[in-house]
Amino acid sequence: MKKKNSAMKKVAETLAFFYPQVFRKYKGYFFVGALKTLIDAAAPFVSILVLPLLIDGLINGEEKTLLLLYAAVIALGGTFLKMIASVLGVTMEKYDEKFQNHFSEELSRRVMDLDFQLTEDKKALDQIEAARTGMSWYSGGVHGISQSFFGIVTDLITILGVVVLIALHAPLLFVLLAVLMLVTAVINSRSNKIEAEEYAGLSKFNRIFSYLGWEIVDFRYGKDIRLYSAQDMLVGKWEFYTDGTLKRWENKANRQLPLTLSVTAVNIIRTLTIYFYLGVRVILGKITIGIFSQMCEAGNTLNNSVGNLIWRVQDIIKKTNYAYEYIVLMRYPVAIEKGERHVADKPHTIEFKNVDFTYPNTEVQVLKNVSLTLSAGEHLSVVGLNGAGKTTFVKLLCRLYDPTAGEILLDGVNISEYDYKEYMQLFSPVFQDFKLFAFSMKENIVLGDDVEKEAVLPLVGQVGLEEKVSSMEKGLDTMLFKFYEEDGIEPSGGEQQKLAIARALYKKAPVVILDEPTAALDPVAEYDIYRQFEELVGGKTAVYISHRLSSCKFCDRIAVFSDGQVAEYGTHDELLKQGGIYAEMFAAQAQYYR
Ligand code: ADP
C-alpha cells in the first residue's frame, strides 16, 4: 500500500512539475488534448447506443429509411469521430519535439550549473544519465506521459457510461466482468514489475555504451587507438556489454511468457461467460435481442476500457518513474553551500588558514594545514614536484571544492558566505587541462559575449597569435577542430595554450592564474609568454604554477609545495639563501638555462 502511495505521489509530483511549465508555454496543447479526450470517450457509444435500435427495428419491421439511417450512423459515426481524434492526435504530436528541446535545454543548463565536484561523482553522473534517458526515450517525455494521462481520462469517462448502461440491463454481467478483469490486472501488474526490474539494470550499460561510442569516433583518440591497436579491446568491450544487455532482454521475455499466455486464457473464459449469461437472459425474455447485442458490445468496451485504464495507470506510473529522475536531477543537492554576500569592487586579500583537503570519496589528504596570504596585486609563484598539491591549491582558491578543514577568507570573510557566481568572477585561470571548444577562435576567447572582433584582436597580438590569425582566410572566425566544420583547423598544443591565455585575459578578472601553461611551449616561447603575461597582468593579483623556475623570478613570493604542505615560502633570494628544496631545484634547473 505504501509502495502504491509513493508511486501515485510520484505521478502527481511529476505532473505538477512538468504541466505548469508546459501549460505556460504551450496552452494550445492542453486545449487540443481535452477535445481529443472527449471525442475518444464518446466514439464507442455511437454503435453501443444505436445498435439495439437497428436490430430491434429490423425484428419489429420498422420503416426502412429509419433503419438505413441507423445503419449509416453505426457504420460512419464512430469512424468519423475516430478520424477527428486522430487528426487532433497528430497535432499534439507536433508539440513533442518542442517539449523535448525545451527540457533537454533545461537539462544541459542544469548539468553545467551543477557544482564542479559532482562532475567526478559517480552518483551524480548516473543521475544525469538517468534524467536524460528517463526524460526522453524511456518515458516518451512530456508528450508520452500526456498520452497516458489523457488516455486515463478517456477510459474513465467511457467506463462510467458503459457501467450505467450495463447496470440498467444486466447487473450480474458487471460482477462477472469485474472478477475476470481483476485477475487480468493482477497478471499484468506482475508482468510490468518484471519489465521495470529489467529496465532498472540498463542505466549503467547505457552510460558505458555512450562512452564507448564517443571514444571510438572521436578523432582525438584516433592516434592512440591505431598505434596501440586498441580496436580489438574497444570492440571487445562493446561486445561484452552488448551481451549483458541482451541477457537482460532475454530474461525479461522468458519471465513474461507464462503471464502473457494466462491473459489469453482469461480472455477466452470471458467471451464464453458473456454470451452464456446474456443468452440465458434473452431466452428468459428479460432483454430483447437488440439489448443482447448492446450488452455484448458494452461488455467488450468495458473490458477494453478497464484493460486500457489499468495498463495506462501502470504505464503512467512507469513513465513518471523514469521522468522523475529528471526532477531529482533538477533538485540535486548542492555539494557546496553558497552565500549571498556581494563581492566588493576593491582590491582583495585572500587568505588560506590552516586548510586541509581530501578529494571527495577518497582517503588521501592532498593538502595539509596550508596557510598563505595573497595580497592584492601580489604575484605568487607556486612550485613543487608533481602531485605536491599545487593544482589542488588553485582549485580550492577558485572554490571548485571546499576545504575539508580550515578556511579560505576573502577580505577576512569566509568565501562560502559570498555569492558563488560573483566570487568566481574574481578569477581568470588557465588550467593545465583547459579545454577549447569546436567553435570559432573568437568564440573560444569571448565565450558567448557578443563583441566586435576588433576588441579581441589586440589580445591575439599580446599572446603571440597575430601571425597565425592573419594567415588564415577567415581570421578570428576560423573554426577549431573538425567536429563539424570541414575547414576547422587543428591548432598545436602551444597555440591552444595561447588561445586559452587570451581567453583568461579577455575575462579581465582581478586574479589571474596560470597553471603550468608552458608545458607545451618551448623555453623561448615560454619566456616570452611569461614576460608578456607579466606586462599584461600588471597590477592584478597573479598565481603562477610552473615546473620551470625561470618564471619565479618575476614573482614577489614563492610558495614551495611538498607533499601537500607549504614547505618553503619567501622571495627568490630568501629561498636561495635558505638552501632548501627551492635552492636545490633551482640549481638543478639552472644548468638548462645557462
Ligand atoms: P600538482 O598540481 O602539484 O601536480 P595536484 O594538486 O594535481 O598536484 O594533485 C595532488 C594529489 O591529488 C595527487 O596525488 C593527485 O593524484 C590527487 N588528485 C588530483 N586531482 C584529484 C581528483 N580529482 N580526485 C582525487 N584525487 C586527485
Side-chain angles (χ1 to χ4, degrees), residues 467-485:
E467 240 173 76
K468 175 90 185 167
V469 171
S470 54
S471 75
M472 286 175 304
E473 200 183 317
K474 292 189 181 166
L476 273 174
D477 290 326
T478 307
M479 297 293 282
L480 297 189
F481 314 119
K482 297 191 187 296
F483 280 102
Y484 54 85
E485 287 295 342

Side-chain angles (χ1 to χ4, degrees), residues 120 359 362 366 385-392 395 401:
E120 299 175 326
Y359 278 98
T362 65
V366 176
L385 297 178
N386 263 339
K390 304 181 297 291
T391 301
T392 306
K395 287 194 215 159
Y401 298 90

